[in-house]
Amino acid sequence: MENDPKPYKFMKESIKKQPPDWKKIVLLIAGWLALAALGGLVAAAVFAVTEPKIAEAVTREEPPAKVDIPGDEDPNSGQEPDETITASSASASVDSSGSGSEISSSTVDSSTSESSVSESTVSESTEENGAAEGTESSLKNYEALYQDMLGVTEKPKRALVTVIGITNQMDYFNQNYENQQQISGLIVADNGQDLFILTEYRIVENVERIQVTFWDETMVDATYQRHDPSTGLTIVKVDESKLDEGTRDGLVVAPLGSSYLVSQGDPVVAVGSPVGYSDSIAYGVVTSVTNKISALDNEYNLLTTDILGSTDGSGILVNLDGEIVGIIAQSYSAKGNNVVTGIAISQIKKLIENLSNNVSRAYIGIRGQDVTEELSDKTGIPKGVLISRVADDSPAMMAGMKEYDVIVKLGEHKVETIKQYHEQLGKYSTGDVVTVTAMRKGAEGYAEMTFDVTIGEV
């Protein structure tokens, strides 16, 4: 058995898959991602550069038309109008007119030959044309209305002047300079030697020089005449010999109307400087005629309007007859309300006369209000003028009159309103002694008292 051959054995081998090399795989993926990112960046850069040009090429349109606004010919320039433009305009008008004639003829022929045009279409067209013509006519009427209102101010405007108050002042460098304030004035009288101009005292108070500018820009010096502390109005006068003939011929004395005829809702034109600068106008209506201001020994009605003005506004209120019915006085406008307000002209005509003649106004020195019959029935206060204030150091105070006394007689004349009181007071002169009868309330009711008052001077 020893000689038996050994069994033959083969080597056993098995083939196994090589494990993945993850490092190489990661590097390969990172490389592809880097290449992709680089490609994206290049593409984005190329797009950013080429996109505006491509968009412009795709959406390119014709450039917008140039804005062309035709100019106007200045009628005051003294130049002749452009004949070429005038001729072309005329030609265009002729062509347009001719074209219209052809269209009209063709329409008639067409309507004759064809029966498709309905009567309703023609009717609608006629109504539209009528409406358009009506609108145009209304606008023309509206424009004409304002032109007519402007026309009635031509004469009053020639009576308006500008009053300038001049003072010399020193600046921080001790240099003299002129300080000027100006306001509208109104020529109210002409005695053949002087022109008397009504304005506001605040402009000429404590000034060193007064100048007046007339309608043709002529400027001359004026002198102070007299003022009224109650209303703040004053008169300055100009020597007519200082004016040349042309200026004198062009100006007019103010046409003063009657403010008693003015009613709520009446149209008026504010002329002068109602909005704060000279040579301006404004249109509106009267909103109230019953507001009043209390003054020493008098009261005045105010004409309030719906015209918005400046707190420094001045000038006049003119009615549709071209008459002056109010003197603009913005100091009497309601606080915080800049509507144009004027003093009723009828109630200051006597004042204007006295100031022009340099006549002092009779003065007792009370402010009062009417006690009507209705108010008397409700309160038991006698009818008359209830004193609301007695001025300091006035003749009334010196005579012993007090607040809440009710004046019922002035001299021998019975007074029931402040208007009657003022009219009677105007019959006296400075230095006259007048007996004032008043009712004073005591422990047992009202009792009659008399006061001998020496008329003073404002």
Side-chain angles (χ1 to χ4, degrees):
M1 296 300 290
E2 290 179 357
N3 294 325
D4 291 342
K6 291 181 180 180
Y8 182 81
K9 295 182 180 179
F10 291 92
M11 182 182 292
K12 292 183 180 181
E13 293 180 354
S14 60
I15 300 174
K16 294 184 179 180
K17 294 182 179 181
Q18 186 176 357
D21 190 343
W22 294 107
K23 184 176 180 181
K24 290 183 178 180
I25 293 173
V26 170
L27 290 175
L28 183 62
I29 292 173
W32 282 107
L33 290 175
L35 288 173
L38 180 62
L41 291 174
V42 172
V46 172
F47 180 77
V49 173
T50 60
E51 190 275 338
K53 297 182 179 179
I54 295 173
E56 180 181 358
V58 173
T59 63
R60 179 175 295 169
E61 296 179 355
E62 291 296 326
K66 182 181 177 182
V67 175
D68 185 15
I69 301 176
D72 296 326
E73 291 292 338
D74 184 358
N76 299 319
S77 64
Q79 300 177 355
E80 294 295 328
D82 190 340
E83 294 180 0
T84 304
I85 296 176
T86 305
S88 63
S89 300
S91 175
S93 300
V94 171
D95 292 343
S96 176
S97 177
S99 172
S101 300
E102 292 175 5
I103 292 173
S104 178
S105 300
S106 63
T107 304
V108 172
D109 294 338
S110 175
S111 63
T112 304
S113 59
E114 300 177 6
S115 59
S116 59
V117 179
S118 65
E119 294 182 1
S120 61
T121 304
V122 175
S123 176
E124 290 175 2
S125 176
T126 303
E127 291 177 358
E128 290 176 359
N129 291 337
E133 292 176 359
T135 301
E136 183 178 357
S137 176
S138 298
L139 292 175
K140 291 293 184 183
N141 291 338
Y142 185 77
E143 180 182 3
L145 171 64
Y146 278 93
Q147 289 299 325
D148 289 344
M149 292 179 69
L150 179 61
V152 302
T153 67
E154 287 304 316
K155 186 175 180 180
K157 284 171 69 174
R158 289 297 181 96
L160 280 172
V161 298
T162 300
V163 179
I164 305 169
I166 303 172
T167 55
N168 291 319
Q169 296 182 350
M170 300 283 287
D171 61 16
Y172 290 109
F173 303 100
N174 291 326
Q175 298 293 323
N176 281 322
Y177 72 95
E178 285 189 345
N179 181 39
Q180 297 187 2
Q181 291 182 303
Q182 66 180 40
I183 199 171
S184 294
L186 184 68
I187 303 173
V188 292
D190 177 4
N191 66 358
Q193 295 181 351
D194 297 303
L195 294 175
F196 297 90
I197 297 166
L198 179 70
T199 188
E200 292 188 48
Y201 181 62
R202 59 186 174 91
I203 295 298
V204 300
E205 183 180 11
N206 299 325
V207 299
E208 298 172 10
R209 188 180 179 189
I210 303 172
Q211 289 187 319
V212 173
T213 304
F214 290 87
W215 65 275
D216 60 351
E217 303 303 322
T218 296
M219 183 180 292
V220 297
D221 286 339
T223 57
Y224 164 80
Q225 179 80 345
R226 198 177 189 89
H227 81 280
D228 176 54
S230 295
T231 58
L233 297 177
T234 188
I235 289 287
V236 298
K237 64 180 181 178
V238 171
D239 186 349
E240 288 191 58
S241 64
K242 296 180 180 179
L243 303 175
D244 58 37
E245 186 177 353
T247 303
R248 290 198 303 268
D249 291 342
L251 58 83
V252 298
V253 176
L256 303 182
S258 173
S259 57
Y260 296 125
L261 302 179
V262 178
S263 302
Q264 190 179 40
D266 284 354
V268 289
V269 185
V271 186
S273 307
V275 293
Y277 54 87
S278 59
D279 194 26
S280 57
I281 64 170
Y283 303 94
V285 298
V286 175
T287 56
S288 174
V289 296
T290 58
N291 292 329
K292 297 180 180 180
I293 55 171
S294 178
L296 289 174
D297 299 316
N298 201 3
E299 68 177 7
Y300 301 97
N301 281 80
L302 296 177
L303 303 180
T304 56
T305 72
D306 62 350
I307 303 171
L308 291 179
S310 167
T311 53
D312 296 323
S314 61
I316 54 177
L317 295 176
V318 180
N319 64 15
L320 297 188
D321 293 325
E323 298 173 335
I324 298 166
V325 294
I327 302 297
I328 295 175
Q330 289 299 86
S331 58
Y332 294 119
S333 183
K335 189 175 181 180
N337 190 351
N338 287 342
V339 295
V340 172
T341 302
I343 301 177
I345 194 67
S346 294
Q347 293 177 315
I348 60 173
K349 285 184 177 180
K350 187 63 177 179
L351 174 64
I352 294 172
E353 179 183 299
N354 289 339
L355 293 177
S356 300
N357 293 321
N358 202 13
V359 174
S360 60
R361 179 166 65 86
Y363 171 66
I364 288 180
I366 63 99
R367 293 180 185 267
Q369 65 182 68
D370 298 346
V371 179
T372 62
E373 186 172 352
E374 180 181 1
L375 182 61
S376 178
D377 292 339
K378 289 182 178 179
T379 61
I381 301 174
K383 288 179 60 177
V385 176
L386 175 66
I387 297 177
S388 57
R389 180 189 166 197
V390 177
D392 293 340
D393 300 325
S394 63
M397 175 177 283
M398 299 300 181
M401 300 174 67
K402 295 183 178 180
E403 189 178 0
Y404 303 122
D405 287 349
V406 181
I407 300 173
V408 294
K409 288 178 67 176
L410 198 62
E412 299 299 323
H413 295 87
K414 184 177 180 181
V415 293
E416 294 184 345
T417 65
I418 191 71
K419 181 181 178 182
Q420 293 175 352
Y421 166 84
H422 177 71
E423 289 174 350
Q424 292 302 319
L425 181 59
K427 297 177 181 179
Y428 296 90
S429 302
T430 303
D432 292 345
V433 178
V434 58
T435 300
V436 179
T437 304
M439 306 296 292
R440 177 174 293 179
K441 188 174 184 179
E444 298 180 0
Y446 282 91
E448 183 177 287
M449 299 186 69
T450 58
F451 306 91
D452 292 328
V453 181
T454 301
I455 301 298
E457 179 181 348
V458 176

